[in-house]
Amino acid sequence: MSAKPSGARKNRSPRTSAQPQPAQEPRGEPSLSRERIVATAVELLDAAGVDGLTMRGLADRLGSGVMSLYWHVDNKEDVFDLALDAVLDYGGPPEIVESRDWRAEVAHMLEDWRANMLRHPWSASLLPRRALGPNILGRLELLSRTLSKAGVTDADLNAAIWSLWNYVMGATITRASFGPSDDDRAAAQQRLTRLGERYPTIERSRLLLDDDWDGTFRKGLDFLLDGLAPQRS
Amino acid sequence: MSAKPSGARKNRSPRTSAQPQPAQEPRGEPSLSRERIVATAVELLDAAGVDGLTMRGLADRLGSGVMSLYWHVDNKEDVFDLALDAVLDYGGPPEIVESRDWRAEVAHMLEDWRANMLRHPWSASLLPRRALGPNILGRLELLSRTLSKAGVTDADLNAAIWSLWNYVMGATITRASFGPSDDDRAAAQQRLTRLGERYPTIERSRLLLDDDWDGTFRKGLDFLLDGLAPQRS
DNA sequence: ACCTGAACACCGTTCAAGT
DNA sequence: ACCTGAACACCGTTCAAGT
């Protein structure tokens, strides 16, 4: 809790507010900044995963000393938080289209959310630990509003949202963790076959070989939405 | 890939097979063993979380040198795998009760699974990364069998299982991550109120204050099972 | 067969300075 | 206001020995 800017909230609209001393940088590197640190952290995370992010490595990539980072950032945890929020940015509520098809709307929102996280595979497993950034709240608000307008009762609303949240998080984390290496799963499935008697059902259905991630996600989401759908008795 | 026992499969039934040299330990500490290491690792993880597990700390707790662990265990990853599998043990398929209520059966299985993971809060977020232990496979097999017997078509079976998996994982990881600190969530909810206009719907529904985890889990599971239920046209 | 200490190549972060 | 190097208290793991 010093005079460092780390804890301070950023400008509301950093893009439009003019810089106080605009003609300040004489030459060379634009020097360190919070934005640059976060952007580079995302790059590094994308390239090397959660374990690959290192304050030292981050500083190297920025061409600065390690300790210089700590002027702009509280600590490593802070870097994670900022990187996560940066990645979950979203365009805000889209045009207020009064679609009648709430199911398509919800499915689209959640597929977009998932796609965003899969573009940065480290983000999904990080998210539940720090769920409260403004971007996530915005997404939850939009989801909530859509469901409410669709006729989900107030009594069911929170359960509905958390159900969708749970489903999306579980699906995305699993997909990102099982990762691109199909070999592992093929090997696992073969192990099933070798074990023969013990797992006949999942062996027969080839559960571990299912690689239509997008289709499976959508199918399960449909199951859930079926159950969620407000009964029009 | 040396002569170390690390990679070797354990005895099929370690509890019933007699020890080769039963009267071998002359006195004192039972010395190191794979079982003791894993059990202590689980203790340490329960007490200190994922970041709290340290090879050095583990050795300390076992009263041995750090490097002694490496005789019984490949590396730290291995310790995680073993600890996770140890925690997900389950009693195998229960008595073959031919219950007609497949929904209650499935719900019970998944609630048990979730409860098991919540008893060791570090386990849930670890599981998707290493999903293939025999105990997990056993649970998936049982789930698969139950759904199949209930009338879920082969075409829907994998999607159904992955949906339930995703939901349970997401719910458990979220619950374990948000953790016992209600204060955080209360603070977050208050922040919502302060922000006022931006998140009216989730503020009104008090989404972030919902702390009936078990009830919400069950409710969402019911939504999903509603959608999953085989249509009897 | 089982255990050990020293050493290596790393970490995140504190602190006291520099400009 | 912003950046820095040295230092501290840690990590996981290799290696060459010990018994």
Side-chain angles (χ1 to χ4, degrees):
Chain A
M1 298 302 160
S2 61
K4 298 201 305 177
S6 311
R9 272 282 139 267
K10 318 279 302 290
N11 277 336
R12 172 96 359 162
S13 43
R15 201 146 302 185
T16 59
S17 74
Q19 306 271 31
Q21 295 95 359
Q24 190 189 6
E25 27 184 348
R27 75 196 61 224
E29 284 287 272
S31 112
L32 235 36
S33 81
R34 211 165 218 253
E35 283 75 16
R36 231 160 70 80
I37 292 178
V38 174
T40 309
V42 170
E43 278 177 35
L44 219 165
L45 283 164
D46 287 349
V50 180
D51 293 338
L53 180 67
T54 282
M55 295 305 271
R56 288 172 146 97
L58 187 53
D60 269 9
R61 208 159 168 133
L62 285 160
S64 78
V66 202
M67 294 318 298
S68 310
L69 303 177
Y70 284 82
W71 178 262
H72 306 269
V73 137
D74 283 342
N75 47 36
K76 196 182 178 181
E77 291 262 294
D78 200 18
V79 176
F80 275 125
D81 284 343
L82 293 168
L84 185 61
D85 202 59
V87 147
L88 287 175
D89 196 20
Y90 85 123
E95 323 82 69
I96 312 159
V97 42
E98 269 296 338
S99 167
R100 229 154 288 94
D101 191 357
W102 66 273
R103 281 187 61 129
E105 240 175 281
V106 168
H108 179 266
M109 286 174 40
L110 296 181
E111 274 172 340
D112 172 74
W113 195 339
R114 169 172 176 271
N116 247 310
M117 292 193 287
L118 286 184
R119 240 170 268 130
H120 308 277
W122 47 272
S123 65
S125 50
L126 238 52
L127 178 51
R129 229 163 299 201
R130 333 173 173 273
L132 308 170
N135 285 324
I136 294 116
L137 289 176
R139 288 177 185 265
L140 286 174
E141 168 71 17
L142 185 55
L143 181 63
S144 194
R145 198 146 43 194
T146 307
L147 289 175
S148 185
K149 228 164 18 188
V152 174
T153 68
D154 278 13
D156 278 345
L157 193 55
N158 282 352
I161 292 174
W162 283 127
S163 302
L164 291 168
W165 165 280
N166 290 336
Y167 178 75
V168 174
M169 290 307 141
T172 310
I173 291 173
T174 299
R175 201 274 176 269
S177 300
F178 278 4
S181 124
D182 291 321
D183 296 349
D184 295 351
R185 286 160 50 243
Q189 181 76 37
Q190 280 204 333
R191 197 153 53 84
L192 279 195
T193 310
R194 223 173 311 121
L195 288 174
E197 307 306 296
R198 305 191 49 177
Y199 314 108
T201 316
I202 56 178
E203 193 208 327
R204 196 169 56 81
S205 70
R206 306 177 73 71
L207 177 67
L208 267 33
L209 284 179
D210 194 340
D211 66 349
D212 178 19
W213 296 98
D214 295 352
T216 303
F217 174 78
R218 183 53 197 260
K219 227 168 173 180
L221 184 55
D222 277 334
F223 286 147
L224 193 48
L225 291 175
D226 284 342
L228 241 52
Q231 330 288 354
R232 47 197 77 231
S233 60
Chain B
M1 298 303 159
S2 60
K4 298 203 304 178
S6 311
R9 273 283 140 267
K10 319 279 301 290
N11 278 336
R12 172 96 357 162
S13 43
R15 200 146 302 182
T16 60
S17 73
Q19 307 272 30
Q21 296 94 359
Q24 188 189 10
E25 27 185 349
R27 75 199 61 226
E29 283 288 271
S31 113
L32 234 37
S33 80
R34 211 164 216 253
E35 283 75 17
R36 229 160 73 79
I37 292 178
V38 174
T40 309
V42 170
E43 277 177 35
L44 218 165
L45 282 164
D46 286 349
V50 180
D51 292 338
L53 181 67
T54 281
M55 294 306 270
R56 287 171 147 95
L58 186 53
D60 269 10
R61 210 161 168 133
L62 285 161
S64 76
V66 202
M67 293 319 296
S68 310
L69 302 178
Y70 284 81
W71 177 260
H72 304 270
V73 138
D74 282 343
N75 47 35
K76 196 182 181 183
E77 291 261 295
D78 200 18
V79 176
F80 274 125
D81 284 344
L82 293 167
L84 185 59
D85 202 59
V87 147
L88 287 175
D89 196 21
Y90 85 122
E95 324 82 69
I96 311 157
V97 42
E98 268 298 337
S99 167
R100 227 153 288 95
D101 191 357
W102 67 273
R103 281 188 62 130
E105 239 176 283
V106 168
H108 178 267
M109 286 173 40
L110 297 180
E111 274 172 340
D112 171 74
W113 194 341
R114 171 173 175 268
N116 246 309
M117 293 192 285
L118 287 183
R119 240 170 267 131
H120 307 279
W122 46 272
S123 65
S125 51
L126 237 51
L127 178 50
R129 228 162 303 198
R130 334 172 174 275
L132 307 171
N135 285 323
I136 294 114
L137 288 178
R139 289 178 185 265
L140 286 174
E141 168 70 17
L142 184 55
L143 181 62
S144 194
R145 200 147 39 193
T146 307
L147 289 176
S148 185
K149 230 165 15 191
V152 174
T153 68
D154 278 13
D156 277 346
L157 193 55
N158 282 352
I161 292 176
W162 283 126
S163 302
L164 291 168
W165 163 281
N166 289 337
Y167 178 76
V168 173
M169 289 307 141
T172 310
I173 291 172
T174 299
R175 200 276 176 268
S177 300
F178 279 3
S181 124
D182 291 322
D183 296 350
D184 294 351
R185 285 160 50 242
Q189 180 75 37
Q190 279 203 334
R191 195 152 56 83
L192 279 195
T193 310
R194 221 174 311 122
L195 288 174
E197 307 306 297
R198 305 191 48 178
Y199 314 106
T201 316
I202 56 176
E203 192 207 330
R204 196 169 56 81
S205 70
R206 307 176 73 73
L207 178 68
L208 268 34
L209 284 179
D210 194 340
D211 65 349
D212 178 19
W213 296 97
D214 295 351
T216 303
F217 174 78
R218 182 54 198 258
K219 228 169 171 177
L221 185 55
D222 278 333
F223 287 146
L224 194 47
L225 291 176
D226 283 343
L228 242 50
Q231 332 286 354
R232 49 195 76 233
S233 61

